[in-house]
Amino acid sequence: MSGAWPGLDEVAARAAGDPRGAAEEVLALAETLPEESAPEFLDRAARVFAARGLPGEAGRFFGRARELEEARARSLGLPLVGEEAHRTFVELAPSGAVGGTELCGHLRRLAQHPEPGTAHRWAREAVCAVLGSGVVPADFVPELVRVAWAARLDEKTEKRFVADRLLREGLMPRAPLPVWADLEIALRDAAADDDELFDLLLAARPEPGPDTAPELRARYERRWRLLVGQAAGGRPLPPGWYRSIGPLRLGDMMGLASDAGDRLFPRPPSPFDPETDPVARRADPRPHPLDPAHGEQAPSWHSNADFLLVARKIGEDPRVRRDLDAFVRDLGRYDNVDYPSAVRKMLKREPIRRALAEQFAEWRDDCAAGDLDGLASSLPRLVPMAEAVAGSRRLPMSRDASGTALVDGVAVTDPVEAAWRALRAGLPEELRPPGSWDDAYSVVLHGDLLTLALKDGRIEVHGPGGVAHERELPFFGYERRWLTWPGALLPWFDGTDLYLSRVFRGRAETYRVVGDGDLELPDGERLPWPRSAPQVPVTFPGADGPVLVSLDGDVLRMFADGRRVARRRPFTGVPPGFWPHLAPVDPDGSAALRRLERDAVAGLLDAALAGERVLDGELARVLPELTDAGLRDTVRTLLDRAAGHLRAALRLCDALGRERPAGSPGRIRSVTGLRAGRHIDQVPAVRRLAEMLGEAAGSGPAPGSPRPLGEVEPPDVNDLLFGVLGGAALLAARPWTPEYQRLKARDRLGAFGDTPWGDGSGRWRRLPFRPTGEFPSGRLWRTPGGAMITLGRSAIEFAPAGGFRDFALPGWTEESPPRPQGWGGAERIARFLRLLDERGPAPCDVSAVRRLAERTGLPVHTAASAAYGFPFTLGRENEAASLPPEVAALYRDPATGELLRHESWHLDDALREALMPDEPEDLWTVGLAVDKAVAWWEREGRRIAWPGAAI
């Protein structure tokens, strides 16, 4: 073996007696050789000495050979590691002549090799040779990864290769701590994927040696237990394994919890359900499951929708249920959509019918519960459904098929009563939140201790006597995501220890904060969890007795006299168990709320129906003791909401044909017995406008020209519906009018017939203006004949004496002629509606239309549009298809049969108003009021330039 190098065998023979001297001789011989031969000589010497059991000297020769080789390679631009050097390394490794230091140096040189693929193969051979000798170097993994990078190989794969080798060769117990750290993810993934490797990891308890310090030994043990816990998956572990890991940093503990799942925190046994526990102000307040997600739009389902597909998916996809609910809430949105037909078609599918029956049972319960919050959730569903199925009651079909079963039998809570009971019982906003409430992102009540987690990384614990504990959350700055994202950890204090709890994937989790911010698993069989009374009696300031308050998950309920007076979902305020310890924000204001009478609340709702300014004034008059701005805003918001619910509740009563609640506020109460239905919101708005104009008309003598009186809060009136009640009645009486359109017309007649606009007195008119300057809506004027208010691009004028005088208004250009009040009168409208019920649609006489055209000179199709409307528009195809042939012919060119172009909607409205007989009975006996219409045309219509008309 050494024949090529004379003298090497003799020196090696002397090495047994004098190793040091023999080594010096070999090194001296190397110095005499040419520089290109010396490394090969030293490698050969290393093999010889290693074979003779002298690994120390062999390693010395190998190291000197690499020094000489590297120097020559750098000077000549050669590879730092040749094949001979690599083979020498692999041969020396089993003897121990080369170890961790030499391996790391060898790998560093290989990382610079000009052939990365070859270098990577040699690197793995070198690593396996050293590991095969039983040596696990501390820092070799990063060096091996660099070689892999040079070869454009994946770091994860390289580490997995090493982890697999160490586990299978049983070397992990003696591996240094840096190796455990370098291979942490690879060991976890390998053991998680392979049962054999998991068993090997479980058996690889670190054995760092007898001289290892206890603290370092504990770190080894902890690292191993953590890895096993993370890799366990569904595999069982010895009892107490996870707890024995000890405290971990927050991120590490969360990772362990995610991997361990139910083995770390078993799911709670019934009946304990952490989702319904009183842990308030969660990071993700949960709305009703049917509430739309952010950005979701109602589906465009009409009578042509594929309800069979909906029925198939409704039990599988929660989105379909939300779509169904959105469709229900959107019923009636578009005027040209036949929603009743869509509902009937939808209810032919049993899965849909079953789902709606279940959901509407909840809405009916909510509507009857007695509080405003129940009305808020139920009325947006009950009202549109009741209106959609109203026309189906006359059809020969079952209640289930028509949809009437969904809404029949509902008991409608009186919103006035509900608002009164809520104010008398008490409002959470009457109690002052503790400490730094506005800066808290979570709050948890445990017993009498309320823990606020603040946005600056502190916790503040309040007890009955004030602040009981404060401390920093050291991990808040760098692990904030675990504390603030939806489903986050909630800090809470039990009087001794600080805990972090959460509900994650349906299970309760709790960790104890120890030391400088580490987390550990609590001891004991019972999981620590914030606990407080599910129901507490609370006596509000000024009350004679308590109300019962409960918090179920994020749903707050309040009960007084055995009935629910409030429900808030989601509730994000102070948990009610702590309310007895809170001070009132406005004791006198609270006491005044307790003394409120129902009539006073009805008056406040009457003011709310009139607008914000009226409500503010009435609130100051009725409740002057209410001085806290926040509480006053809360009361004001409640009254405003109650006014909205009152409109919807009366609308529901009208759709169901029910009597309205007694004692409704005057501005919305029916004074004629007519039902407003869909247009109930116009009743208080028009009445408020009439009040304003009546007061303005009485403010001093009439001027010669309009005089501004100032700006007011304009009521939300729909002035486009002014002066067209006769036309609405005429269209409602057509034989081919769809039932759903007929019902809408009845509501319009009932609503405006119950207001001054529909009294037929002739004291009102609408002035369509085009402003050329700044004319905000809500400007009030005293006019020569009375008073006027501007409403955007138009104005409404009231003349108490019934006479109007023309005038010029600077900055305004008349857009079209004034529209008079037209046909109306409550008694006349009531007669018309009764006749429509008793006699059905009025007869159709096309000869009257032809007489109208002949006498006025209007084209026949223009006269037909005025008399019968123009149904040839988008969404009204069914109506157009149902026209009698003789009526349809009126709209077509007699010579070609082509549909003639529609001309003027303004002319249609004005002429149709004149075609409605003054006496409703005449519509069934005489027909269209052609003489009246011709007289109007000669008197006024002919002189007007109608927009869009060809005449």
Side-chain angles (χ1 to χ4, degrees):
M1 174 171 95
S2 57
W5 304 103
L8 183 56
D9 287 339
E10 291 79 2
V11 175
R14 291 192 296 273
D18 184 11
R20 183 179 182 83
E24 293 297 334
E25 285 187 55
V26 170
L27 293 174
L29 282 172
E31 294 296 331
T32 66
L33 298 174
E35 64 177 6
E36 68 272 13
S37 303
E40 183 181 355
F41 168 74
L42 290 171
D43 283 343
R44 184 61 58 86
R47 292 191 185 97
V48 171
F49 274 62
R52 291 178 176 271
L54 298 172
E57 287 68 22
R60 187 178 176 187
F61 300 155
F62 181 81
R64 179 57 180 162
R66 301 289 75 74
E67 291 173 3
L68 295 173
E69 187 176 57
E70 185 172 346
R72 183 169 183 272
R74 291 190 184 281
S75 64
L76 299 177
L78 299 173
L80 297 181
V81 181
E83 185 172 0
E84 179 65 22
H86 172 64
R87 293 299 168 208
T88 302
F89 183 93
V90 173
E91 289 181 25
L92 292 178
S95 69
V98 292
T101 302
E102 292 77 17
L103 175 61
C104 290
H106 190 60
L107 295 175
R108 278 193 291 272
R109 289 188 289 273
L110 286 173
Q112 303 176 55
H113 198 282
E115 297 180 13
T118 299
H120 178 253
R121 178 167 50 82
W122 289 355
R124 282 198 173 186
E125 289 176 358
V127 167
C128 291
V130 172
L131 295 181
S133 70
V135 175
V136 184
D139 302 320
F140 81 97
V141 176
E143 302 297 344
L144 178 61
V145 168
R146 290 188 184 93
V147 180
W149 285 345
R152 300 184 180 278
L153 298 175
D154 181 46
E155 174 182 344
K156 182 178 179 181
T157 302
E158 204 64 22
K159 289 185 175 181
R160 181 72 176 261
F161 163 77
V162 177
D164 187 282
R165 188 76 183 225
L166 289 173
L167 287 172
R168 294 188 186 281
E169 295 188 10
L171 296 176
M172 278 311 301
R174 69 183 74 171
L177 191 59
V179 174
W180 284 92
D182 290 336
L183 298 179
E184 180 175 356
I185 296 176
L187 287 167
R188 183 196 65 195
D189 292 347
D193 296 343
D194 189 303
D195 289 341
E196 180 184 358
L197 292 179
F198 176 77
D199 292 338
L200 291 172
L201 179 62
L202 184 60
R205 182 173 184 171
E207 301 171 1
D211 297 331
T212 305
E215 182 180 346
L216 185 58
R217 183 181 295 274
R219 288 173 60 192
Y220 273 70
E221 177 94 5
R222 187 179 179 195
R223 173 76 65 178
W224 166 66
R225 288 186 175 275
L226 179 58
L227 280 176
V228 172
Q230 292 172 335
R235 305 176 183 98
L237 287 174
W241 183 276
Y242 292 104
R243 190 170 289 111
S244 69
I245 295 173
L248 295 172
R249 306 305 292 176
L250 176 57
D252 292 336
M253 183 63 84
M254 293 298 97
L256 178 65
S258 179
D259 294 328
D262 293 348
R263 295 177 311 287
L264 188 60
F265 293 103
R267 293 183 182 273
S270 180
F272 174 64
D273 181 2
E275 286 288 357
T276 62
D277 231 54
V279 180
R281 209 176 188 187
R282 301 177 188 271
D284 58 335
R286 293 181 298 277
H288 191 281
L290 291 182
D291 285 352
H294 180 69
E296 281 189 1
Q297 301 293 323
S300 299
W301 294 351
H302 306 315
S303 57
N304 60 346
D306 187 357
F307 289 114
L308 177 59
L309 180 62
V310 174
R312 288 173 179 168
K313 291 184 175 181
I314 198 165
E316 306 167 0
D317 186 354
R319 171 66 188 265
V320 176
R321 280 231 177 193
R322 290 203 302 272
D323 282 349
L324 180 61
D325 183 67
F327 173 68
V328 168
R329 287 184 281 108
D330 219 38
L331 290 172
R333 179 176 182 179
Y334 298 107
D335 184 67
N336 61 348
V337 175
D338 185 357
Y339 290 102
S341 294
V343 170
R344 290 193 296 271
K345 181 179 178 182
M346 176 177 68
L347 291 175
K348 291 179 180 179
R349 304 299 175 185
E350 199 276 335
I352 299 178
R353 194 164 61 244
R354 186 172 59 247
L356 285 176
E358 173 188 319
Q359 203 57 62
F360 269 80
E362 178 182 340
W363 304 139
R364 291 194 299 272
D365 289 344
D366 277 353
C367 191
D371 61 83
L372 295 175
D373 306 274
L375 293 175
S377 62
S378 61
L379 289 176
R381 280 93 174 178
L382 290 167
V383 170
M385 183 59 77
E387 290 174 346
V389 303
S392 301
R393 295 181 183 278
R394 304 179 183 182
L395 300 177
M397 57 175 55
S398 68
R399 292 172 62 246
D400 287 339
S402 67
T404 57
L406 297 172
V407 294
D408 283 351
V410 62
V412 185
T413 293
D414 179 3
V416 178
E417 187 82 11
W420 176 52
R421 295 179 68 244
L423 293 171
R424 285 287 295 259
L427 304 172
E429 289 77 10
E430 293 180 48
L431 305 173
R432 190 182 305 282
S436 305
W437 176 260
D438 291 339
D439 294 325
Y441 66 84
S442 76
V443 55
V444 178
L445 178 64
H446 176 68
D448 282 335
L449 295 176
L450 186 72
T451 302
L452 305 182
L454 308 180
K455 298 172 185 175
D456 62 1
R458 294 182 301 115
I459 65 161
E460 192 175 87
V461 182
H462 293 262
V467 176
H469 181 72
E470 289 184 275
R471 68 171 290 177
E472 300 280 342
L473 294 177
F475 39 71
F476 185 81
Y478 55 87
E479 294 286 10
R480 181 175 310 201
R481 70 186 188 281
W482 298 109
L483 300 163
T484 56
W485 69 305
L489 294 161
L490 302 177
W492 59 281
F493 187 67
D494 70 348
T496 304
D497 293 314
L498 176 64
Y499 294 93
L500 300 178
S501 293
R502 69 173 179 173
V503 176
F504 184 68
R505 294 176 180 171
R507 62 177 178 266
E509 299 179 2
T510 293
Y511 309 90
R512 182 187 291 114
V513 181
V514 296
D516 64 348
D518 286 348
L519 302 187
E520 69 175 9
L521 300 175
D523 297 325
E525 295 183 1
R526 184 175 181 180
L527 181 73
W529 191 259
R531 302 182 187 279
S532 61
Q535 292 184 333
V536 290
V538 177
T539 302
F540 281 90
D544 296 331
V547 296
L548 192 62
V549 187
S550 71
L551 184 64
D552 183 4
D554 55 3
V555 181
L556 179 83
R557 295 179 177 86
M558 298 174 60
F559 299 87
D561 302 326
R563 291 187 64 195
R564 197 173 81 190
V565 294
R567 181 193 66 186
R568 297 196 184 181
R569 177 177 57 192
F571 177 72
T572 57
V574 178
F578 202 76
W579 289 8
H581 309 307
L582 299 178
V585 299
D586 186 352
D588 293 339
S590 292
L593 292 175
R594 303 294 90 79
R595 296 191 299 267
L596 267 181
E597 297 296 335
R598 187 190 185 283
D599 288 346
V601 174
L604 288 168
L605 288 187
D606 197 51
L609 292 167
E612 295 179 359
R613 297 180 191 176
V614 179
L615 174 58
D616 288 339
E618 187 68 4
L619 195 57
R621 186 189 71 80
V622 174
L623 290 169
E625 303 91 344
L626 206 58
T627 57
D628 180 79
L631 181 56
R632 185 171 60 249
D633 287 346
T634 297
V635 173
R636 187 184 180 285
T637 299
L638 182 146
L639 292 168
D640 193 56
R641 286 178 55 226
H645 299 333
L646 177 60
R647 296 185 189 96
L650 297 183
R651 183 173 168 180
L652 178 59
C653 290
D654 288 350
L656 296 173
R658 300 263 191 89
E659 290 295 325
R660 294 179 173 184
S664 294
R667 281 193 177 91
I668 203 169
R669 185 186 309 137
S670 177
V671 296
T672 64
L674 295 172
R675 293 185 178 274
R678 296 165 177 81
H679 295 283
I680 186 68
D681 60 319
Q682 292 298 295
V683 174
V686 172
R687 288 176 177 174
R688 171 59 183 160
L689 184 140
E691 293 171 11
M692 297 166 66
L693 291 183
E695 293 172 5
S699 60
S705 61
R707 183 179 74 243
L709 299 179
E711 292 184 17
V712 296
E713 179 185 10
D716 190 16
V717 296
N718 186 349
D719 61 308
L720 296 177
L721 300 180
F722 177 86
V724 292
L725 295 184
L730 203 60
L731 295 179
R734 298 176 308 176
W736 57 86
T737 294
E739 186 62 23
Y740 75 95
Q741 291 286 10
R742 204 183 319 276
L743 291 173
K744 289 181 179 181
R746 294 178 66 100
D747 287 349
R748 183 187 302 180
L749 291 164
F752 289 99
D754 211 14
T755 71
W757 277 14
D759 63 10
S761 64
R763 297 183 299 165
W764 297 83
R765 68 173 179 171
R766 178 176 179 266
L767 306 169
F769 282 128
R770 182 186 299 113
T772 56
E774 178 108 8
F775 276 83
S777 184
R779 180 164 292 182
L780 199 62
W781 303 76
R782 181 71 166 91
T783 62
M788 178 181 74
I789 185 172
T790 57
L791 301 171
R793 294 176 62 89
S794 66
I796 296 293
E797 185 182 9
F798 169 63
F804 294 98
R805 293 171 53 187
D806 292 333
F807 53 80
L809 193 63
W812 285 71
T813 301
E814 186 179 85
E815 191 169 51
S816 58
R819 177 184 291 179
Q821 187 176 6
W823 185 88
E827 189 274 335
R828 185 180 290 160
I829 291 172
R831 271 193 291 145
F832 169 79
L833 294 176
R834 185 170 59 253
L835 288 166
L836 190 59
D837 285 337
E838 294 172 353
R839 301 183 183 182
C844 168
D845 181 10
V846 296
S847 65
V849 175
R850 297 189 182 279
R851 289 200 311 274
L852 176 65
E854 181 180 351
R855 295 176 62 184
T856 59
L858 292 169
V860 172
H861 74 280
T862 300
S865 292
Y868 298 139
F870 189 81
F872 304 97
T873 55
L874 183 65
R876 300 178 68 186
E877 293 82 2
N878 290 341
E879 181 181 341
S882 63
L883 290 176
E886 64 273 20
V887 174
L890 298 174
Y891 297 92
R892 299 187 177 276
D893 187 319
T896 66
E898 292 183 1
L899 181 68
L900 295 168
R901 184 181 66 86
H902 180 264
E903 294 190 348
S904 173
W905 301 107
H906 293 81
L907 175 58
D908 284 355
D909 288 343
L911 187 54
R912 189 178 302 130
E913 198 70 15
L915 283 168
M916 178 64 192
D918 292 335
E919 301 304 323
E921 293 84 356
D922 290 348
L923 188 60
W924 277 264
T925 57
V926 178
L928 297 174
V930 175
D931 292 343
K932 175 186 168 189
V934 170
W936 170 84
W937 177 255
E938 296 296 336
R939 184 177 65 252
E940 299 180 34
R942 188 183 296 279
R943 296 171 176 78
I944 297 173
W946 297 101
I951 54 176

